[in-house]
Amino acid sequence: MFPKKIAAIGGVFLLVLLGLVVWWVQNRASTEPPEVANGPIYTLRLGHNIPIDSALHQAALRLATLVAERSQQQVRIEIFPAQQLGTDDKMLEMARTGELDIVLTPTAKVSSSVPAMQYADLPFYFPSREDLYDMLDGEPGQMLLQRLQSIDLVGVTFWENGFKHFTANKPLHVPTDFQGLNIRTMKSRLLMEQFKNLGANPIQIDFHATRQALADKVVDGQENPLVAIVSMGLHEVQKHLTLSSHGYMGYVFMVSARTFNNLPPQWQQLLVDTAKELTPWEWQETHRREAALLETIRRAGVTVHEPSHAEREKFKAVMANIPALFEEVIGSDIMSRTEEILDRKYGPAQRIVVGLDADLSQYATMAALGFRRGAHLAIEEINATGGVLGRPLQLVARDNKGVPSLGVSNINAFASRSDVVAVLGGVQSAVVMAQKEAVATTGLPFLVAWASVGDLFTPDQAPGPVFRLSADDRLAAPFIINHLLQQGYRRPVILLENTVWGRVNLERMQEHLKRAGHDFLQVESFNRGQADFNDTLRRLERSGADVLVMVATGIEGGLVVRTLAEHASALPVISHWGISSGNFWATNRDALAKVNMRFFQTFTFLGNSRLQSQQLAQKYQQRYGVASLREVTAPQAVAQAYDLVHLLARAIAQAGSTDRAAVRQALERLPPMEGAVRRYAPAFTATRHDALGSENYHMVRFAADGAIVVVSP
């Protein structure tokens, strides 16, 4: 009996003991920090300017939690909201130098260092919220984020604070309601231009000083998302809110490059993946909260106005010029990709598409911008008179990055589209020559607005579907040598890039020099990407030369000019036109002040007496906000693309069809046309697909302000 009692007591004791052990384990798990995996601990600081009750801050908290859990506490994120670490500008600078690890900053705040970040601020540009999300989450967004590398930041994703709306102490229903108002804005040229278009006076004021400025009547109104309006109490000092949704308060999630590069690869990937994973949640949560925020604003006595479709169209019309004005700073590659995506979704079904293939992002961006602007101006004129065959023309551009294989891929992509009637392009000869073979296969008319390679057309071959309105090195090389000899130079040397374009020019120039009884004292070549020209130029200078002939594009050509300036060389330079496809003067202005350089060109607006040129110049200035024609960096790209589009439109009309073979035949049989560059009588024939002759060539130079001016007829 007794042993049985002992056994029962022992059993109870064991059960109690087991319960205590379970309780201790559970309690320990809930009160002690989770186990940390072996390895160093990385503590990252994240700063932003938004209050803690915002969706953006809540997303930052989620980020910190998820990163800590997934790294087993090896990566920890400390969050500093509401400008605890300083203003946006200060936090941005801290991140660039590595003092701050992660920063979330409005895109407009980053735009002073990376102008492309003004993209999301384009007013009334994106048809819907979803369209903008698609852009930021897609290829245009990735292009924007990559540009942050230039300021030592790693762009990860875009979060948001919502779409912006207007507030004021008077109703703002139509653009004229803004006339004469003082409006608070951020430091952004695009936002300043937006309010100037509305007739208002933009005044830059820090975000946290905005409420007081409104209360003190320093400014009459402002723009911000609903969360910012409520969190900063702006609705308490404003009487009217217009739900315009005209722009986007995007926030860029950026990591200091110094911090990012010091993280092990697995933690780099974890940080990037988690921030991107939270992006849709942050967007949705921001949007979800807006109904409650709007109710808070209404309860404060603010009159809320939602613009009608007609009112929005008036705002769109007033802002319509801004995307074109800021394409140069945002980037033709980003704008073109956006336009292509929106065109596929919203473009008119019966449009006639003109493709544009150009280097929108790398070496010849100014030429590409000139193509786009010249083509757009021609298309606007054509569409204003009813289009062609009763259908509107539409330009769709693709970026070849100066890479022949990508240029061919773009040609094939255009050829596969039944709505594309022809492709406009040019600049890099290697790209154009590769595309020549592609269009010969597809039959797609290819309109070359800038490329002088002499072998584009050969006497023993039919011209095919390529039509050029540009220089021809078979004529340009002798023209350059004639100018050299007319200036009294007799001991030339030549520096050329080691490409088809460079070698063809060398051959043609040598032939012409020898006919005149001269030759190059020395020939030097270089490959693209060469970074040091000191030894090369010393050899050329020691040769006893009296002039340097250069066949180069803007990057290497700029290095040559800067090196000559450093050498204090008196050797003058006569260059082919490859240098002018980029922003050569702006990049090399100090060196150009010390180097006597002239270069070859086919067109300039300055001193041009042609009526059509003057009319184009006037339209260009009005459309793109150019105060002076002296500011146009690639005038030949503008004018030659403009004329080609007009010639194409006439060919389509004459053919009565968009059939590519019929359009090609019509291009060969056009009647005379007065163009901006010249009178075409006719532009092309069945055996001649070159529209310009040496009578259209000029030698030019950069004036002190960068203007391209003629020095020789």
Side-chain angles (χ1 to χ4, degrees), residues 298-331:
R298 281 196 172 101
R299 285 201 305 267
V302 176
T303 300
V304 178
H305 174 69
E306 187 163 0
S308 66
H309 175 75
E311 289 171 340
R312 290 188 66 82
E313 289 301 309
K314 289 180 181 179
F315 279 107
K316 285 182 181 180
V318 169
M319 305 293 188
N321 67 321
I322 289 183
L325 287 178
F326 286 85
E327 178 179 343
E328 183 175 348
V329 294
I330 292 174

Side-chain angles (χ1 to χ4, degrees), residues 326-344:
F326 286 85
E327 178 179 343
E328 183 175 348
V329 294
I330 292 174
S332 291
D333 54 338
I334 295 172
M335 297 299 293
S336 295
R337 188 68 184 118
T338 302
E339 288 173 8
E340 184 176 4
I341 294 169
L342 294 177
D343 174 70
R344 287 184 175 179

